[in-house]
Amino acid sequence: MAVTGSRRDVLHFGCGATASLGVSALVGAPAPVRVLAQEAPATNATAEDFFYREDWFGEPWRKPETAVLIHGNAESSIVWYAWMPRMAQEFRVLRPDLPGLGRSRIPVGFDWSLPNLATFVAHVLDKAGIDSAHIIGAKVGGTIAMQFAADYPARTRTLSVASSPASVPATVRSYANPSQIPQLDRLGSGASKEMVDYWENMFKMAPEIPTKGLRNAVSDLARDGVLQRIKAPTLVMTADRSKMQSVEQTREYQKLIRNSRLVVLQSDGYHIAASNAGECISNVLTFIKETHRA
């Protein structure tokens, strides 16, 4: 049983056993590790096919809806740290590690494409026993979230994306690796030195195969008709001075999603899910509540 107001990380291991931090572990299960800093890439011994973290900070008798948070390239599920205190008081939060990143293995014969990445997220929902959820993604994670919403409409309650390109922007295409992009472009001029150092180290540690695979997977969702197939109520968030894509470019693709709205935050960084986490969370929570009332 989880303790109200406490952190509850559920780590899922390849053998199928689970263990909750703050709760006695199942006999024979590997000891869970609370992640307080950056996480080293998983080894074959620690990785599993569909790893995810699960958090619920609310009352143990409540049965909350589920929210799925999908991270960006060269990252892992730990980057949603700032979202947990508020989101996990409202939702059962699942944070998957995308293939080859964090503690998820790359499935055998995996083809790096957006439809396959959306199916990967669907497998995480299956593993967690969830039929449908609020799907939330940042950067490339948001692009995967849009593909998921188009391919799995019955499993998508709402869709929220932050700084998520519907195609590879020219400003990003020139870089061979995400680690080459200046962190102040990503996090904004207001980021502290400690935050910049943290993220620089994270990108330096990112394995090459999944990083390249995710970068190459992003296609033109408008050209492919993906955006036009999204039925879920959708929130698109971007920065007013983003160096990834302009507000006008974001609005162009947002308008193709029939039941959507655009929110523009004041920031010169494009990873607003990290640099403007509080504002993003407030907008997502308000948006979901409004869709419930509607």
Side-chain angles (χ1 to χ4, degrees):
M1 180 181 298
V3 179
T4 303
S6 65
R7 170 76 181 265
R8 181 173 182 258
D9 279 350
V10 178
L11 306 187
H12 296 259
F13 302 95
C15 62
T18 63
S20 298
L21 293 178
V23 185
S24 59
L26 296 179
V27 176
V33 178
R34 184 185 292 277
V35 178
L36 297 178
Q38 284 163 317
E39 184 176 51
T43 65
N44 289 335
T46 60
E48 63 167 285
D49 289 341
F50 307 106
F51 176 86
Y52 63 91
R53 288 179 167 82
E54 178 181 342
D55 301 271
W56 166 237
F57 296 166
E59 298 84 354
W61 56 84
R62 283 173 58 191
K63 297 186 182 300
E65 295 179 347
T66 299
V68 177
L69 307 183
I70 307 173
H71 65 80
N73 200 356
E75 302 173 2
S76 75
S77 56
I78 63 171
V79 299
W80 295 103
Y81 53 83
W83 288 61
M84 288 303 97
R86 291 175 64 187
M87 289 296 293
Q89 289 182 33
E90 301 292 336
F91 303 99
R92 174 188 177 188
V93 179
L94 304 182
R95 293 179 286 157
D97 284 347
L98 292 174
L101 297 171
R103 300 191 185 184
S104 286
R105 297 190 193 96
I106 301 174
V108 176
F110 187 73
D111 178 38
W112 293 95
S113 69
L114 288 177
N116 283 341
L117 288 161
T119 299
F120 181 93
V121 175
H123 287 322
V124 169
L125 289 178
D126 293 340
K127 186 172 181 179
I130 299 299
D131 291 329
S132 63
H134 300 282
I135 308 299
I136 301 165
K139 303 187 300 166
V140 171
T143 310
I144 296 169
M146 288 186 275
Q147 183 76 49
F148 180 92
D151 292 350
Y152 298 91
R155 308 194 75 170
T156 308
R157 291 174 178 256
T158 63
L159 171 66
S160 299
V161 297
S163 306
S164 302
S167 60
V168 182
T171 54
V172 174
R173 192 178 295 117
S174 60
Y175 292 99
N177 190 292
S179 65
Q180 297 173 330
I181 300 174
Q183 285 298 337
L184 291 182
D185 287 359
R186 184 178 282 112
L187 301 173
S189 58
S192 67
K193 180 181 183 303
E194 292 79 8
M195 185 178 190
V196 168
D197 290 345
Y198 180 92
W199 283 80
E200 282 187 348
N201 190 47
M202 181 191 306
F203 281 89
K204 288 177 183 176
M205 292 171 59
E208 180 180 359
I209 293 176
T211 299
K212 182 178 179 181
L214 280 173
R215 186 178 69 248
N216 293 338
V218 178
S219 56
D220 190 325
L221 298 185
R223 179 199 63 203
D224 297 343
V226 174
L227 300 176
Q228 296 87 332
R229 291 195 286 114
I230 295 174
K231 298 179 180 179
T234 299
L235 173 66
V236 176
M237 296 178 287
T238 193
D240 61 345
R241 288 158 288 148
S242 169
K243 292 184 180 179
M244 174 181 281
Q245 55 188 1
S246 67
V247 173
E248 290 71 26
Q249 290 170 323
T250 304
R251 185 177 287 112
E252 283 182 16
Y253 89 70
Q254 173 259 323
K255 287 181 178 179
L256 297 176
I257 304 174
R258 67 185 86 174
N259 185 13
S260 67
R261 69 178 69 170
L262 176 65
V263 169
V264 181
L265 305 186
Q266 294 184 354
S267 177
D268 60 353
Y270 67 75
H271 194 356
I272 54 175
S275 62
N276 299 64
E279 292 177 85
C280 288
I281 298 164
S282 295
N283 277 287
V284 168
L285 292 176
T286 299
F287 172 68
I288 293 176
K289 288 178 181 177
E290 289 178 356
T291 60
H292 280 167
R293 287 198 294 268

